[in-house]
Amino acid sequence: MSDDNLPHISYGLDSRGRIVRIESGITRANIRRLPSIEEALRRLSTNLRSDRQAVDSNNEVSDSQATAQVASLEDDSSQNAWDDITDHELSVDITDGASSPNQITSSVPSLTPEEDRRYCWVCFATDEDDATAAWVKPCHCRGTTKWVHQGCIQRWVDEKQKGHAGHAVACPQCNTEYIIVYPNMGPLVVVLDTIDAVIFRVCPFIAAGIVVGSIYWTAVTYGAVTVMQVVGHKDGLTMMEQADPLVLLVGLPTIPIMLVLGKMLRWEDQALSFLRRHASKVPILRHFLPSSYNDEDTSIQSEDIPPMNDPVSATRVLCGALLLPTIASLCGRIFFESISSNFQRTLLGGAAFITIKGAFKIYHKQQQYKRQCQRRVMDYTESNVALYKRQQDSESDRS
């Protein structure tokens, strides 16, 4: 067969902007021949961009109207394509960059983009899931977070407001404040809402005043009981009856305050520091408060060991301070029974209790300090592991 008998094949664009194969002898008024495949692809890209811009401009149309328009466009496109290009005249198949006859493949994307469908960003439902649900666009978000069910956004607002209807709620994505409009319920409801808001703001101050008043009168009562306990029941009543009421209202609450402040004064630490500095001059103190600790060939100076942590417990301070007058009275009756004055006996009993307790506390802290200085980190051997386990078992049995 000669070259003259072979059909002449070229490519062009139909009325819908698609690439088609044109054989010799086929002429259509609506088909324009292209000088090259590159020019055809360039025009195809331009048509695709124009179609996408047209779709984006119609995103604000309601869902029902957009669906109807997309369906009509698809029908018209399909009808025009089959009218212009018949099965026997033109066919194109673009697969892996090659053309083959007798197949028709559209290169234009669908005109119903995924973002045209409405998705609820709270429950992830669409129009197909609930056709009767009310939709709303409450913020500046676009895409899949643009739409939300009215009921879902109501629950979201309730969760964020936590019962406070006046609190503003914003979008978690774009931080746009939601426009929440309440219906007009009449003047009576407005008055009740105002009263409720005033009560809500005043109640914390009232509660704080009640707590402070309760603490104050508790301190007054405690001060009066302490006066009668230290001075004596009859002498204390007589003293308070003869005193000025203003002095009692001011002086009695200061008694528990002064006891708590005195308890917070850690005089044992100062005494221990003083004794450590002068322990080498007194032979007796040198035995209990050595300046260095020797263990085999290792010598660690006491100044190299950091001070031990001694945290302050608020409950321990409060209990110790409030129980001090009672303990002082008991110690005075036990150790100083011969003294007739109840006030002097209580003072001496309190001084004796504080002194004895301080001495034991100083000794305990010094022993803890000594143990801290003599501690060692051992090699991880079988013998040391066995010794450590025996030590832990013995401590657990003692506890």
Side-chain angles (χ1 to χ4, degrees), residues 88-389:
H88 301 285
E89 291 178 344
L90 299 174
S91 63
V92 62
D93 180 22
I94 302 175
T95 305
D96 297 333
S99 297
S100 61
N102 301 326
Q103 293 183 5
I104 298 177
T105 303
S106 174
S107 61
V108 180
S110 176
L111 296 179
T112 56
E114 188 67 20
E115 49 268 17
D116 276 351
R117 301 180 62 187
R118 292 189 292 193
Y119 292 89
C120 178
W121 58 265
V122 176
C123 66
F124 305 103
T126 61
D127 291 319
E128 291 79 3
D129 298 327
D130 189 359
T132 61
W135 294 85
V136 63
K137 294 186 295 183
C139 60
H140 293 128
C141 290
R142 303 185 66 84
T144 57
T145 59
K146 177 172 63 174
W147 294 98
V148 66
H149 287 140
Q150 185 70 241
C152 294
I153 195 64
Q154 293 284 357
R155 291 192 296 270
W156 175 267
V157 170
D158 291 338
E159 182 180 353
K160 293 302 179 181
Q161 288 183 343
K162 298 184 183 301
H164 305 290
H167 288 186
V169 181
C171 175
Q173 281 82 21
C174 64
N175 294 326
T176 302
E177 183 178 345
Y178 291 150
I179 302 175
I180 304 175
V181 179
Y182 295 92
N184 187 10
M185 303 303 295
L188 180 59
V189 176
V190 174
V191 173
L192 294 177
D193 289 339
T194 305
I195 295 174
D196 184 72
V198 171
I199 293 175
F200 181 79
R201 294 183 179 181
V202 171
C203 279
F205 298 98
I206 297 177
I210 293 174
V211 172
V212 172
S214 300
I215 295 175
Y216 172 78
W217 287 110
T218 302
V220 171
T221 304
Y222 177 84
V225 173
T226 303
V227 170
M228 291 187 293
Q229 191 176 22
V230 172
V231 180
H233 184 71
K234 294 181 179 180
D235 295 338
L237 288 177
T238 303
M239 181 185 301
M240 287 185 291
E241 288 176 356
Q242 295 176 355
D244 188 359
L246 183 61
V247 175
L248 295 178
L249 293 176
V250 176
L252 292 179
T254 59
I255 294 177
I257 297 175
M258 296 303 296
L259 290 175
V260 172
L261 294 177
K263 182 64 178 178
M264 294 178 64
L265 181 63
R266 304 168 69 88
W267 65 272
E268 298 91 349
D269 296 339
Q270 302 298 327
L272 181 59
S273 178
F274 176 80
L275 293 175
R276 284 176 180 172
R277 289 195 300 268
H278 301 83
S280 58
K281 302 177 182 178
V282 181
I284 299 176
L285 295 178
R286 192 183 307 166
H287 177 70
F288 294 99
L289 304 173
S291 59
S292 63
Y293 304 96
N294 297 325
D295 185 11
E296 296 179 354
D297 296 335
T298 305
S299 176
I300 300 179
Q301 298 297 326
S302 60
E303 290 81 4
D304 298 334
I305 304 300
M308 296 188 62
N309 186 18
D310 189 11
V312 178
S313 175
T315 56
R316 184 173 180 177
V317 170
L318 183 62
C319 293
L322 298 182
L323 291 177
L324 181 61
T326 302
I327 297 175
S329 179
L330 294 176
C331 291
R333 293 178 183 179
I334 294 174
F335 299 109
F336 306 98
E337 188 177 1
S338 58
I339 299 177
S340 58
S341 174
N342 189 74
F343 179 70
Q344 295 178 359
R345 187 168 58 244
T346 303
L347 288 180
L348 293 175
F353 171 74
I354 293 175
T355 303
I356 296 173
K357 178 187 175 184
F360 280 108
K361 192 171 184 178
I362 291 173
Y363 176 78
H364 185 229
K365 284 190 173 183
Q366 180 61 24
Q367 294 303 315
Q368 288 180 334
Y369 181 78
K370 182 179 179 180
R371 182 174 59 184
Q372 191 82 358
C373 292
Q374 293 179 346
R375 69 178 180 179
R376 297 291 183 274
V377 178
M378 307 298 294
D379 296 331
Y380 193 83
T381 60
E382 295 182 358
S383 59
N384 290 335
V385 171
L387 179 62
Y388 178 73
K389 289 183 178 180

